[in-house]
Every structure is written in C-alpha cells, then in structure tokens.
C-alpha cells in the first residue's frame, strides 16, 4: 500500500490522532510492544480506520521517521548557513552547535528513532532514509572542517567514526543509557565534542584542534 497524505479536514484530523497516539506509544513501549489495536485505542478510533489510512504499523513509523529526518536536515543546513555567515569561532564551536541541536531533535523525535532502531534490528537491514541523513551529516562535518582549516580536508573514511560517535553519545544520553556524561547541558556537549575531536585527531594522525 502506497501512503498518500490526506487532503480533507476530517482525514487530516484522523491521521493526526493516529500519529500522536503512535508517537506516544512507541516512545513509551517501543515499536515491537505496540500493536495496531493499541494505537487505535489510544487514538479513540477503530482498527479499520487505521488500516485504511496506513495499511501497516511500519507505514506510520515511516511517517514519523521522515519527520525526524526532515527536521534534522533543516537544522544541519541552518548550521552550514551560520558557518558561512561567520557565526562560529571555529570548527569546535560549530560541532557544539550541532551536538546541541542533535540532542533537541532526538528528544523531540525519540519515538521515531526508537521505532526504527527496532525495525532495523528485526529486518537486519539499513533504512535508506537513515543512510541519506547520515551522509548529509558527514558532508556537513567535512564542510565544517574544510571551512575552518583552509587548504585541508578530512576524508570521508576519517570523518565517519567521529561523526558516528557524536550521534551515538547524544542518542544514548537521550535514552538515559550514558550515565558517565555530565548532566549539566554545556558540560555534556563539551564532553561529547571533545570525544569527537579526539577521535578525529586520532584518525588523522595529527593534533588539529585545541
């Protein structure tokens, strides 16, 4: 079944109720432990209406994940614009901004991320949306490095591990499974970026950042 966004008022309202219910349940109980009946009951609607609107539980998770990807890309693009506008003191300052923004987006869309992590584990495959988002993130990471290190660049293979670390540390913190990270906001993001830059420097074999 191919998803088609609703165009009429009642259909839009129905979809919004299902999405809100699914988001709350995925965040609280996870994707695997949430059924279509759970979502329909929480939305105050019928299972048949859900199936007519989405066709499957995977489809509604896909919509939620698409929202996360879209907002993440917008934030990354805003960071690039700020970089080109001279708003950052250096590459480290830019990464702090990315880390802070990443945590905010993850908190807002934790249901979508939790659902898709379970889906990927179930299917043993990589979701193309997640791949595309990470490729975009890697490019922003590399563009930032090149911007603040004129004449230098970081290869994709060297950028991937530190970028992954920045994402994973924020994700684990949001899931409350990273107890060693500082609880204080600025200290935490400084620690995450320090770890990211340390890995980057290790990959490059030189000390490039203060």
């Amino acid at each position: 079944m191919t998803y088609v966004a609703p165009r009429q008022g009642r259909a839009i309202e129905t979809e919004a109720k299902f999405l809100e219910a699914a988001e709350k349940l995925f965040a609280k109980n996870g994707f695997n432990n949430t059924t279509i009946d759970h979502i329909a009951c929480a939305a105050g609607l019928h299972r048949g209406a859900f199936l007519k609107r989405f066709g499957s539980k995977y489809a509604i998770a896909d919509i939620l994940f698409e929202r996360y990807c879209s907002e993440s890309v917008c934030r990354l693009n805003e960071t690039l614009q700020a970089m080109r506008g001279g708003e950052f003191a250096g590459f480290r300052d830019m990464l702090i901004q990315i880390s802070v923004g990443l945590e905010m987006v993850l908190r807002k869309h934790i249901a979508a991320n939790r659902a898709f992590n379970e889906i990927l584990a179930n299917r043993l495959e990589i979701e193309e949306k997640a791949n595309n988002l990470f490729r975009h993130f890697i490019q922003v990471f590399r563009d930032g490095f090149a911007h603040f290190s004129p004449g230098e660049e970081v290869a994709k293979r060297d950028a991937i591990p530190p970028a992954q670390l920045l994402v994973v540390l924020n994700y684990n913190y949001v899931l409350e499974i990273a107890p060693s990270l500082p609880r204080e906001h600025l200290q935490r993001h400084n620690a995450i970026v320090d770890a990211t830059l340390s890995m980057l420097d290790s990959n490059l074999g030189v000390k490039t950042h203060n």
Side-chain angles (χ1 to χ4, degrees):
M1 176 179 177
T2 301
Y3 169 76
V4 178
R7 296 181 179 179
Q8 297 182 343
R10 187 171 180 181
I12 293 172
E13 182 181 345
T14 296
E15 177 170 289
K17 287 180 179 179
F18 278 130
L19 287 169
E20 182 180 359
E23 193 166 29
K24 289 179 179 178
L25 289 168
F26 291 161
K28 181 180 179 182
N29 303 322
F31 180 81
N32 293 333
N33 293 325
T34 299
T35 67
I36 291 175
D37 287 332
H38 291 151
I39 297 170
C41 182
L45 298 165
H46 298 290
R47 175 187 177 89
F50 180 95
L51 293 173
K52 182 179 180 180
R53 177 73 258 150
F54 302 103
S56 74
K57 188 173 66 166
Y58 291 95
I60 201 167
D62 189 61
I63 294 169
L64 293 174
F65 195 72
E66 179 65 41
R67 289 181 175 181
Y68 161 72
C69 291
S70 295
E71 184 167 346
S72 296
V73 168
C74 285
R75 283 183 174 271
L76 287 170
N77 289 340
E78 287 171 359
T79 300
L80 279 178
Q81 291 176 2
M83 177 195 77
R84 291 165 183 152
E87 295 184 26
F88 302 123
F91 185 48
R92 188 180 190 285
D93 190 32
M94 176 180 170
L95 290 185
I96 290 287
Q97 183 65 30
I98 289 176
S99 185
V100 169
L102 178 60
E103 182 185 325
M104 291 175 64
V105 176
L106 284 170
R107 285 190 184 281
K108 182 178 178 181
H109 297 279
I110 193 61
N113 277 278
R114 183 172 181 183
F116 254 84
N117 273 315
E118 291 184 31
I119 291 170
L120 298 185
N122 294 342
R123 296 180 173 179
L124 298 177
E125 64 184 22
I126 300 299
E127 165 60 37
E128 191 59 24
K129 286 186 181 67
N131 254 348
N132 289 337
L133 176 58
F134 191 65
R135 289 190 194 104
H136 192 79
F137 178 50
I138 289 297
Q139 191 56 53
V140 171
F141 191 98
R142 296 176 68 198
D143 287 351
F145 182 89
H147 180 84
F148 292 108
S149 303
E152 298 182 33
E153 64 178 32
V154 56
K156 182 178 178 181
R157 67 177 182 275
D158 295 322
I160 288 176
Q164 283 178 322
L165 180 64
L166 191 152
V167 173
V168 168
L169 288 176
N170 272 290
Y171 184 59
N172 286 352
Y173 181 80
V174 171
L175 288 182
E176 299 183 351
I177 55 175
S180 61
L181 287 173
R183 305 299 296 181
E184 197 280 323
H185 183 74
L186 188 55
Q187 288 181 7
R188 179 170 66 258
H189 289 291
N190 271 295
I192 290 172
V193 170
D194 284 344
T196 300
L197 290 175
S198 178
M199 179 176 283
L200 176 62
D201 291 340
S202 177
N203 288 349
L204 296 178
V206 293
K207 183 67 176 177
T208 57
H209 305 284
N210 296 321

